[in-house]
Amino acid sequence: MDIRNTVGNIPMEWYKDLPHIGYDLDGRKIFKPLRSKDQLEEFLDKMENPDYWRTIHDKKTGQDIKLTDEQVDLVERLQKGQFGDINYDPYQPAIDFFTHETMIHPVTNRPADKRSFIPSLIEKEKVSKLVHAIKMGWIQPRKPREDTATYYDLWAKEDPNSILGRHKMHVPAPKLPLPGHEQSYNPPPEYLMSEEERLSWEQQDPEDRKLPFLPQRFNCLRAVPGYARFIHERFERCLDLYLCPRQRKMRVNVDPEDLIPKLPKPRDLQPFPTIQSLIYKGHKDLVRCISVSPSGQWLVSGSDDCSVRFWEVSTGRCMKSVVLEGAVKSISWNPNPGLVLVAACVDRSVVLINPGLGDRLLCSATDQHISGYQPPEEEVQQPVTWEEVEGAQYSNGLRLCIKHQKEVKQVTFHARGDYFAVVLPDNGNSQVLIHQLSRRRSQNPFRKNKGQVQKVLFHPTRPFFFVATQRYVRVYNLLKQELTKKLLTNCKWVSSIAVHPAGDNLICGSYDSKLAWFDMDLSTKPYKVLRHHKKALRAVSFHKSYPLFASGSDDGSVIVCHGMVYNDLLQNPLIVPVKVLRGHAIHRDLGVLDVTFHPTQPWVFSSGADATIRLFT
């Protein structure tokens, strides 16, 4: 079958995205082969097909064509630079088309024109225009070229008083070292090499040899032959002289102390906690979380021994112990001074406890606030279940139990005390839930969570909500329901966050031993990164009234820093580490697990894996 493509001499790339490759003589489409060969099939065909060397691929028809013997001979002749036609003789006698004999009669005998004997008027007009332009000065005649060479002083215009003048930058060439004993024609015996030393010298690279020559001994000076490397060494010396960048560098004498930023002395930044004053003992297992009452009189702690303990801060006395059904992962005291309420995370539930400490009127008002709830007429479907506690657990202080679908990792209260947020890391798109205490309603503020949520936090004054994932901290506006900022922590895994009481600064601790300070009015990147701890950071905290913040780490230490935020927006925050507090013992590679400040005094509490809580004042 004769398949001829009639598209003509066009680029075949035009048919790259089409199923056909052209049209035949009858106007029908020529379709591309169903499957083109890959490299493996091409290689197998090359190995197995004996006619592979004479097979070519026709791009216009998409078929493989086997060349005939005549076509192969034609290609070979063309490659050798010979004529394509085998019958053509390039050396046949030439045919004389025109005679080489001189003829007496010309080809034409037409007489010459008259205009070839008189001057041209057009040329006369052009010459007159050029003469007028030269007279007017519009055209300047060319000046004769001066072939004599010109010389000038390269340094004639140099300022003699300049600091970097040529005469002041002069550095003399370094002199060659004087010859030593080993270069003598009759050196002492200790300078001569033994046979082993000579062999090792010959095997070394020229750059590694201590001496560039072998010391030799001669009886007299007349017996010394010519030095074979003389010209080579002179040439290297010339190279050293003209390739050496001889320039005097202006050294700046800087005192290293001037490069260190001037920080105020720690004693000028007092008060801050300096010594360990009290140890709260009673837990049997590691104490994961602590929280202080708004008055600063009471301290609550949650432990892996399934108990919540209430302590009196000033005496270290355990006032109450509540046993729960599982390990306490997170605990938070309601910041509203009109309510005495503590929220604790136990397995899949959040338990609200009225400890009954302090003012009895406040405790009874808290119970009335909880019991005065009126359920709505129409039940709204919620992601959690609110249950009131009865019986022995009620007498022990438990008031409400909020049951979730997955394990709860963290609980945190809003500044006004009515809302609190929880984190459920394994709950898909419902990793963050916000509960309202007065109306007993729960809601998922996000349709979709970006990344695994580690910590959440309410803004102290504005309707902002901080959500910390493994690498980012996102700031959401709860009123507008939109993402306001995305802070880049530059950390591998965020462990904890804390917001400055003014609300414009945030600190972020991470498991890779970094503490990042963010000035949210300045940038989405850290203003300063502190690497004072040697192991992972577990908790960070700000003081509510003093310019202090603290961080607790697995290295068993609590580092207190002075962090002053100025009202002047043009002045950057002042961050000065002031004290390293030690006291916790490291247990199972865990050190300090939680850190929190006293609400009114410059005191810091820390809980650790050694089952103790320590107060530093």
Side-chain angles (χ1 to χ4, degrees):
M1 181 180 178
D2 187 12
I3 300 176
R4 296 190 189 179
N5 200 341
T6 59
V7 293
N9 188 16
I10 63 166
M12 298 310 293
E13 286 81 8
W14 293 356
Y15 287 92
K16 183 173 65 175
D17 298 329
L18 298 174
H20 60 284
I21 205 168
Y23 302 91
D24 60 7
L25 294 172
D26 296 329
R28 290 189 295 267
K29 292 180 179 179
I30 301 174
F31 289 95
K32 295 178 181 176
L34 292 177
R35 189 166 64 92
S36 60
K37 290 183 181 180
D38 56 8
Q39 291 184 350
L40 184 60
E41 291 179 350
E42 190 76 22
F43 176 74
L44 292 175
D45 195 20
K46 183 178 180 180
M47 294 293 106
E48 297 173 358
N49 187 4
D51 294 327
Y52 177 82
W53 64 275
R54 62 162 67 194
T55 305
I56 61 170
H57 181 74
D58 189 3
K59 291 183 179 180
K60 286 196 173 183
T61 60
Q63 293 183 345
D64 292 336
I65 299 174
K66 178 183 172 184
L67 298 179
T68 60
D69 294 338
E70 292 81 8
Q71 291 171 333
V72 171
D73 292 340
L74 175 62
V75 171
E76 288 179 352
R77 283 198 302 276
L78 293 176
Q79 285 177 340
K80 293 178 182 178
Q82 299 175 356
F83 291 95
D85 187 4
I86 194 172
N87 298 319
Y88 178 73
D89 183 13
Y91 305 110
Q92 60 186 353
I95 300 172
D96 196 3
F97 290 100
F98 298 98
T99 177
H100 57 277
E101 298 174 1
T102 305
M103 307 295 287
I104 58 171
H105 298 290
V107 177
T108 67
N109 203 12
R110 183 167 171 266
D113 291 326
K114 180 182 178 182
R115 63 174 175 268
S116 60
F117 296 100
I118 60 176
S120 172
L121 296 176
I122 298 173
E123 290 179 2
K124 178 183 176 183
E125 187 179 358
K126 284 184 179 180
V127 170
S128 63
K129 284 183 179 180
L130 289 173
V131 171
H132 178 64
I134 292 172
K135 287 180 179 179
M136 298 297 292
W138 300 336
I139 297 178
Q140 297 290 340
R142 289 181 183 176
K143 295 181 180 178
R145 287 184 60 181
E146 296 180 2
D147 294 333
T148 56
T150 56
Y151 303 99
Y152 61 94
D153 186 4
L154 186 64
W155 310 103
K157 296 182 180 179
E158 189 179 17
D159 184 10
N161 298 321
S162 65
I163 299 174
L164 301 176
R166 182 165 58 98
H167 57 286
K168 293 179 181 176
M169 293 299 293
H170 172 67
V171 179
K175 295 182 179 180
L176 283 172
L178 295 173
H181 292 298
E182 68 276 0
Q183 288 178 282
S184 171
Y185 74 92
N186 189 11
E190 60 266 21
Y191 287 96
L192 295 174
M193 290 187 183
S194 63
E195 189 66 24
E196 294 179 359
E197 291 174 339
R198 190 178 64 80
L199 288 174
S200 65
W201 181 87
E202 290 176 350
Q203 290 173 358
Q204 285 178 334
D205 291 331
E207 296 84 8
D208 299 336
R209 294 171 180 169
K210 290 184 179 180
L211 293 174
F213 59 91
L214 279 171
Q216 289 178 296
R217 188 169 193 169
F218 299 97
N219 295 326
C220 58
L221 195 59
R222 287 178 300 174
V224 178
Y227 184 41
R229 286 178 51 84
F230 176 75
I231 296 177
H232 188 78
E233 285 189 358
R234 292 298 95 194
F235 177 68
E236 286 185 348
R237 173 68 176 168
C238 293
L239 284 181
D240 290 343
L241 288 178
Y242 99 89
L243 290 178
C244 175
R246 289 196 297 280
Q247 183 180 6
R248 183 167 291 143
K249 292 189 176 180
M250 308 296 290
R251 173 170 288 185
V252 182
N253 294 320
V254 178
D255 187 9
E257 297 295 329
D258 296 341
L259 299 176
I260 300 174
K262 294 290 184 292
L263 294 177
K265 294 180 180 179
R267 66 168 175 265
D268 299 335
L269 303 175
Q270 288 178 340
F272 54 83
T274 54
I275 59 170
Q276 179 177 296
S277 298
L278 282 175
I279 301 178
Y280 304 84
K281 292 184 178 179
H283 283 292
K284 302 287 192 301
D285 205 343
L286 49 89
V287 185
R288 285 198 179 271
C289 46
I290 52 175
S291 184
V292 189
S293 65
S295 63
Q297 187 180 359
W298 313 105
L299 173 73
V300 62
S301 60
S303 170
D304 276 10
D305 61 4
C306 306
S307 69
V308 172
R309 291 178 181 264
F310 295 88
W311 314 80
E312 190 176 14
V313 169
S314 57
T315 61
R317 178 182 168 199
C318 182
M319 305 298 293
K320 188 173 184 177
S321 179
V322 179
V323 179
L324 300 174
E325 297 175 353
V328 183
K329 301 293 183 186
S330 176
I331 203 161
S332 180
W333 202 301
N334 194 318
N336 186 356
L339 294 176
V340 183
L341 208 58
V342 173
C345 298
V346 182
D347 291 338
R348 296 190 176 190
S349 58
V350 175
V351 181
L352 295 176
I353 306 170
N354 183 352
L357 300 174
D359 193 346
R360 292 184 179 180
L361 291 175
L362 285 179
C363 296
S364 59
T366 302
D367 287 342
Q368 288 177 8
H369 179 74
I370 294 175
S371 59
Y373 165 71
Q374 294 292 333
E377 296 178 359
E378 295 183 5
E379 285 195 9
V380 182
Q381 188 176 3
Q382 300 193 82
V384 299
T385 307
W386 292 72
E387 295 181 359
E388 291 191 3
V389 179
E390 298 175 353
Q393 289 185 329
Y394 185 89
S395 59
N396 206 10
L398 275 69
R399 294 295 180 263
L400 284 174
C401 181
I402 309 162
K403 294 190 175 179
H404 299 74
Q405 297 176 352
K406 296 286 184 179
E407 189 173 339
V408 185
K409 180 182 176 184
Q410 186 214 355
V411 60
T412 179
F413 272 101
H414 187 265
R416 293 184 181 175
D418 192 27
Y419 289 92
F420 59 98
V422 295
V423 175
L424 298 84
D426 304 324
N427 203 21
N429 287 329
S430 302
Q431 295 184 45
V432 181
L433 296 176
I434 296 179
H435 305 305
Q436 187 178 6
L437 180 62
S438 58
R439 299 172 64 184
R440 296 192 189 178
R441 291 184 60 183
S442 304
Q443 59 179 334
N444 178 12
F446 306 113
R447 187 182 297 111
K448 187 177 181 182
N449 290 109
K450 296 178 181 178
Q452 188 176 13
V453 178
Q454 303 297 314
K455 294 283 180 181
V456 295
L457 212 58
F458 287 100
H459 194 281
T461 55
R462 285 183 278 180
F464 289 155
F465 190 56
F466 299 89
V467 179
T469 56
Q470 287 186 12
R471 289 177 178 268
Y472 306 102
V473 178
R474 291 177 171 85
V475 187
Y476 294 94
N477 191 324
L478 295 175
L479 281 181
K480 296 182 180 179
Q481 298 182 359
E482 64 181 12
L483 177 66
T484 306
K485 272 180 186 165
K486 181 181 177 183
L487 307 178
L488 312 174
T489 61
N490 294 341
C491 303
K492 291 183 180 177
W493 198 305
V494 174
S495 63
S496 51
I497 55 172
V499 183
H500 191 270
D504 290 333
N505 293 270
L506 177 134
I507 55 175
C508 172
S510 68
Y511 290 121
D512 52 351
S513 311
K514 295 178 186 176
L515 188 145
W517 176 296
F518 289 92
D519 188 343
M520 289 187 284
D521 293 336
L522 184 68
S523 172
T524 57
K525 294 179 181 177
Y527 161 66
K528 191 164 283 189
V529 178
L530 307 178
R531 296 180 177 86
H532 298 138
H533 287 286
K534 295 179 180 177
K535 290 188 178 179
L537 271 76
R538 293 281 172 181
V540 292
S541 178
F542 269 110
H543 199 288
K544 289 187 178 178
S545 52
Y546 288 95
L548 297 173
F549 67 94
S551 58
S553 167
D554 280 344
D555 57 9
S557 66
V558 176
I559 295 182
V560 180
C561 299
H562 178 90
M564 174 61 80
V565 177
Y566 299 96
N567 292 326
D568 184 7
L569 293 176
L570 296 176
Q571 194 166 1
N572 290 329
L574 175 67
I575 301 172
V576 184
V578 290
K579 190 67 179 176
V580 179
L581 305 172
R582 302 185 189 276
H584 284 282
I586 297 175
H587 180 62
R588 290 185 292 188
D589 289 335
L590 297 174
V592 180
L593 297 178
D594 200 3
V595 170
T596 187
F597 277 99
H598 192 277
T600 56
Q601 299 293 330
W603 302 346
V604 67
F605 300 90
S606 64
S607 66
D610 54 357
T612 63
I613 305 160
R614 296 169 192 263
L615 168 62
F616 298 93
T617 59

